């Protein structure tokens, strides 16, 4: 596993397989004091090589110099960071990921990163160190759990970076940078937990396994308690809607209610609710084969909630947090719920099921009703809810639906900080007509394909009462099929974990 730490030191003496130095586009080589120090030790040959290669510091540009014993480091890699003015926190995150990938491809096990004298307006050294570290850890993520016999050959020449030392020459910033590195590690680990849960094949992650993860997390912190909602308890609570979705599966349904209590008096009580469909076949309204291939990702909302809970204690978050999910598997069978069925949710609402593939909202009806009984100051749900959301916003961007301005601002600010694209969609009230049912209180589909993300949001809104609430439809970014950023590999992205933690920290 990759360990990262920061310490004060003179870069020249660092012993490592690879020493990484950064250089901004167009900056004079002589202005880079760190580079000059190393170059002096290398009798000017590093800058000579840079000139020879025409290195100007564009993003992604790099010069590799083998030191051959002239300094303790094995090789020096000078990496361009592009225009200084364009550098922001998100660029630092991507940069971190690129550095980790380059180090890996150069087969370096130990890496020293010479911390540059960069500053970004409005951002602290801690923010920057945090972003670079986050990028390094998240960009190094691999999911090898289920590689078998054929993988051995690969593993023999597989090189993982083991240790990165961020060397800081300035004594005054070292503490801030250390803190940034530590915090990033916690955030990245939480994100990777969510990724791994999403990546885990659906035969290895049944509803009961999701609850086991919650148990594990609760056992690791005295501040976290857990109530398990087994089928009996769900029945007792009147969660007939969620139970109906799970009924077609041989694998039983199971829910979890985690509570994190901070040490002092909590500032607020926040409920986080995650969609937890461990596999979505569509049920009797079965999906076509192509649409089913990635449907192990349909528990990404709950995975994000679990990621958040893994980090709450370590980050010493000061609000009370409730984490709730009702895990089910949506399968067709002789016992499955049918199009046409009417089920009564926990709050007494009757739901006409017209498409068993619109199952997420049916499970969330009960999860949100349950969360509401704890009278939270605010509720946020995350769900891979609709394909329509992907049509509206594409694969990278999640939809935010809320009528609460403060919550909207807070979540958008958090998302901007963490680089997780989030865009508002309206809870357009006139569309409530589209989910009115002829035989029950509400139906689980809107009027055709148009506005599908919004009608799903409106359906959920029905179950939150007056509690300030926000819905995040993460159907696009929860699962990445084509890599677009170096810090998010293909597969589960862990979307929402850092965003929610940032939101909770900002309350
Ligand atoms: N889990 C899917 C939504 C989804 C689609 C998530 C693509 C991730 C990627 C959800 O349960 C679903 O099937 N929704 C239907 C709703 C429709 C039947 C009203 C959809 O979007 O087609
Ligand atoms: Zn579905
Ligand atoms: Zn689904």
């Amino acid at each position: 596993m990759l360990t990262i730490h920061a310490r004060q030191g003179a870069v020249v003496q660092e012993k490592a397989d690879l020493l990484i130095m950064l250089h901004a586009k167009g900056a004079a080589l002589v202005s880079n004091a760190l580079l000059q120090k190393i170059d002096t030790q290398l009798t000017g040959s590093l800058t000579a090589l840079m000139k020879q290669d025409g290195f100007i510091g564009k993003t992604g540009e790099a010069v590799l110099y083998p030191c051959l014993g002239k300094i303790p480091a094995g090789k020096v890699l000078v990496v361009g960071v592009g225009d200084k003015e364009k550098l922001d926190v998100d660029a630092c995150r991507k940069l971190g990921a690129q550095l980790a990938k380059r180090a890996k491809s150069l087969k370096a096990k130990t890496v020293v990163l010479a911390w540059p004298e960069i500053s970004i307006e409005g951002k602290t050294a801690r923010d920057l160190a945090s972003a670079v570290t986050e990028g390094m850890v998240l960009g190094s993520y691999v999911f090898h759990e289920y590689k078998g016999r054929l993988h051995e050959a690969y593993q023999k020449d597989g090189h993982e970076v083991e240790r990165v030392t961020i060397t800081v020459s300035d004594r005054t910033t070292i503490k801030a940078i250390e803190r940034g590195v530590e915090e990033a590690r916690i955030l990245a680990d939480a994100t990777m937990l969510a990724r791994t849960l999403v990546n885990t094949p659906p035969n290895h992650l049944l509803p009961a396994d999701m609850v086991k993860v919650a148990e594990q997390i609760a056992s690791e912190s005295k501040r976290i308690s857990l109530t398990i909602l087994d089928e009996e308890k769900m029945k007792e609570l009147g969660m007939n809607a969620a139970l109906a979705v799970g009924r077609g599966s041989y694998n039983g349904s199971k829910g979890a209610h985690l509570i994190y209590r901070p040490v002092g008096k909590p500032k607020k009580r926040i409920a986080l609710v995650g969609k937890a469909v461990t596999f979505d076949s569509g049920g009797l309204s079965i999906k076509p084969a192509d649409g089913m291939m990635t449907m192990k990702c349909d528990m990404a909302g709950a995975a994000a909630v679990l990621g958040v809970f893994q980090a709450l204690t370590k980050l010493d978050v000061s609000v009370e947090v409730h984490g709730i999910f009702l895990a089910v598997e949506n399968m067709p069978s002789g016992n499955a719920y049918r199009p046409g069925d009417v089920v009564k949710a926990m709050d007494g609402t009757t739901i006409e099921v017209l498409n068993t593939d619109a199952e997420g909202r049916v499970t969330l009806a009960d999860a949100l009703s349950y969360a509401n009984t704890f009278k939270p100051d605010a509720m946020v749900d995350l769900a891979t809810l609709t394909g329509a959301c992907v049509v509206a916003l594409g694969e990278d961007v999640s939809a935010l639906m809320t009528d609460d301005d403060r919550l909207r601002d807070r979540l958008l600010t958090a998302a901007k900080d963490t680089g997780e694209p989030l865009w508002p969609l309206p809870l357009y009230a006139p569309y409530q007509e589209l989910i009115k049912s002829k035989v029950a209180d509400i139906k689980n589909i809107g009027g055709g394909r148009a506005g599908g993300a919004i009608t799903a949001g409106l359906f959920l809104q029905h179950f939150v009462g007056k509690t300030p609430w926000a819905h995040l439809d993460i159907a696009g970014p929860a699962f990445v099929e084509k890599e677009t950023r170096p810090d998010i590999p293909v597969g589960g992205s862990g979307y929402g974990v850092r965003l929610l933690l940032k939101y909770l920290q900002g309350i």
Side-chain angles (χ1 to χ4, degrees):
M1 200 186 75
L2 171 63
T3 62
I4 303 188
H5 66 278
R7 70 174 152 86
Q8 208 214 331
V11 174
V12 184
Q13 277 121 43
E14 295 289 356
K15 196 170 178 300
D17 297 332
L18 185 68
L19 167 59
I20 300 177
M21 321 214 53
L22 304 175
H23 192 75
K25 186 175 156 198
L29 294 184
V30 287
S31 71
N32 192 333
L34 281 169
L35 188 72
Q36 290 303 320
K37 263 191 203 144
I38 297 286
D39 195 44
T40 308
Q41 294 296 310
L42 300 172
T43 58
S45 49
L46 175 60
T47 48
L49 179 63
M50 289 166 71
K51 279 181 198 146
Q52 184 188 309
D53 282 5
F55 178 94
I56 57 162
K58 282 188 294 192
T59 313
E61 204 183 354
V63 168
L64 183 67
Y65 181 95
C67 305
L68 304 171
K70 288 180 209 144
I71 58 170
K75 290 172 189 163
V76 172
L77 183 74
V78 184
V79 177
V81 297
D83 285 321
K84 238 179 171 170
E85 296 72 35
K86 286 195 190 142
L87 206 59
D88 58 13
V89 167
D90 204 44
C92 287
R93 221 174 263 127
K94 290 183 195 158
L95 173 71
Q98 266 143 3
L99 297 182
K101 288 195 156 97
R102 272 188 198 273
K104 183 179 170 168
S105 70
L106 291 169
K107 301 186 174 139
K109 285 201 189 321
T110 54
V111 175
V112 164
L113 170 64
W115 190 251
E117 289 155 13
I118 45 166
S119 62
I120 297 174
E121 213 188 305
K123 298 291 167 194
T124 60
R126 176 180 170 162
D127 296 332
L128 304 187
S130 185
V132 171
T133 306
E134 226 171 79
M136 282 189 173
V137 181
L138 291 175
S140 307
Y141 175 83
V142 282
F143 183 70
H144 280 164
E145 218 78 3
Y146 295 89
K147 290 278 189 185
R149 197 167 54 85
L150 295 178
H151 189 54
E152 278 167 26
Y154 166 79
Q155 268 175 343
K156 280 203 192 87
D157 5 285
H159 288 271
E160 303 291 336
V161 180
E162 284 167 6
R163 186 158 48 86
V164 175
T165 308
I166 298 179
T167 307
V168 188
S169 49
D170 175 12
R171 204 181 276 275
T172 58
T173 51
I174 180 71
K175 274 272 160 302
I177 290 172
E178 266 172 0
R179 247 178 259 129
V181 170
E182 277 161 30
E183 187 178 67
R185 184 76 234 190
I186 297 167
L187 293 168
D189 282 345
T191 306
M192 294 194 297
L193 169 67
R195 285 182 181 179
T196 295
L197 290 173
V198 171
N199 288 335
T200 300
N203 60 330
H204 291 276
L205 193 88
L206 304 175
D209 298 310
M210 295 279 302
V211 176
K212 272 190 209 137
V213 179
E215 277 184 290
Q216 176 65 31
I217 288 169
S219 76
E220 285 164 7
S221 168
K222 287 201 178 81
R223 298 189 200 171
I224 297 178
S225 63
L226 169 69
T227 304
I228 295 176
L229 307 169
D230 56 20
E231 284 188 0
E232 209 170 307
K233 180 94 185 154
M234 287 172 72
K235 236 173 250 162
E236 221 176 275
L237 287 164
M239 295 174 163
N240 304 306
L243 283 168
V245 176
R247 220 179 56 199
S249 171
Y250 178 80
N251 304 301
S253 305
K254 208 167 189 175
H257 174 196
L258 290 152
I259 306 177
Y260 164 86
R261 291 189 177 85
V263 172
K265 190 177 163 353
K267 284 192 205 154
K268 283 266 160 22
R269 176 184 296 153
I270 307 295
L272 306 177
V273 178
K275 175 173 171 181
V277 177
T278 60
F279 181 70
D280 183 10
S281 70
L284 289 174
S285 314
I286 198 160
K287 285 182 184 294
D290 278 357
M292 221 187 277
M293 269 192 297
T294 58
M295 278 306 131
K296 66 174 181 182
C297 81
D298 216 16
M299 33 55 74
V305 173
L306 287 168
V308 167
F309 269 77
Q310 193 200 58
L312 289 171
T313 308
K314 295 177 207 162
L315 294 174
D316 199 20
V317 166
S318 56
V319 293
E320 181 178 309
V321 189
H322 292 242
I324 292 154
F325 64 82
L326 300 174
V328 301
E329 192 179 39
N330 187 22
M331 298 292 261
S333 84
N335 199 37
Y337 78 142
R338 323 156 182 82
D341 280 1
V342 173
V343 292
K344 189 184 267 182
M346 186 180 164
D347 76 338
T349 303
T350 53
I351 303 170
E352 183 187 13
V353 176
L354 287 176
N355 189 317
T356 63
D357 196 14
E359 83 299 336
R361 66 196 79 180
V362 182
T363 66
L364 287 168
D366 280 335
L368 289 167
S369 301
Y370 175 79
N372 220 4
T373 64
F374 299 94
K375 305 209 173 334
D377 296 301
M379 290 203 278
V380 180
D381 78 75
L382 284 95
T384 44
L385 204 62
T386 64
C389 189
V390 190
V391 174
L393 297 177
E395 306 257 358
D396 292 357
V397 185
S398 289
L400 168 65
M401 287 170 240
T402 178
D403 278 341
D404 190 280
D405 292 343
R406 254 164 82 95
L407 199 49
R408 178 185 301 113
D409 288 348
R410 289 198 152 143
L411 288 166
L412 289 176
T413 306
K416 202 157 184 225
D417 278 353
T418 60
E420 292 166 281
L422 181 63
W423 206 263
L425 282 185
L427 285 164
Y428 185 62
Y431 290 173
Q432 278 160 358
E433 283 302 314
L434 301 173
I435 51 170
K436 280 198 176 146
S437 162
K438 289 198 177 73
V439 298
D441 295 332
I442 194 169
K443 61 179 175 169
N444 80 331
I445 49 170
R449 280 199 303 183
I454 296 173
T455 45
L458 289 169
F459 180 98
L460 299 184
Q461 189 178 37
H462 182 92
F463 298 91
V464 298
K466 293 203 162 33
T467 308
W469 156 80
H471 159 56
L472 272 65
D473 193 331
I474 60 171
F479 194 83
V480 174
E481 295 193 63
K482 233 179 32 219
E483 188 175 302
T484 55
R485 299 178 50 115
D487 55 346
I488 315 182
V490 165
S493 65
Y495 183 99
V497 174
R498 289 173 306 115
L499 188 168
L500 286 176
L501 284 167
K502 198 78 196 186
Y503 157 67
L504 294 169
Q505 285 179 310
I507 290 172

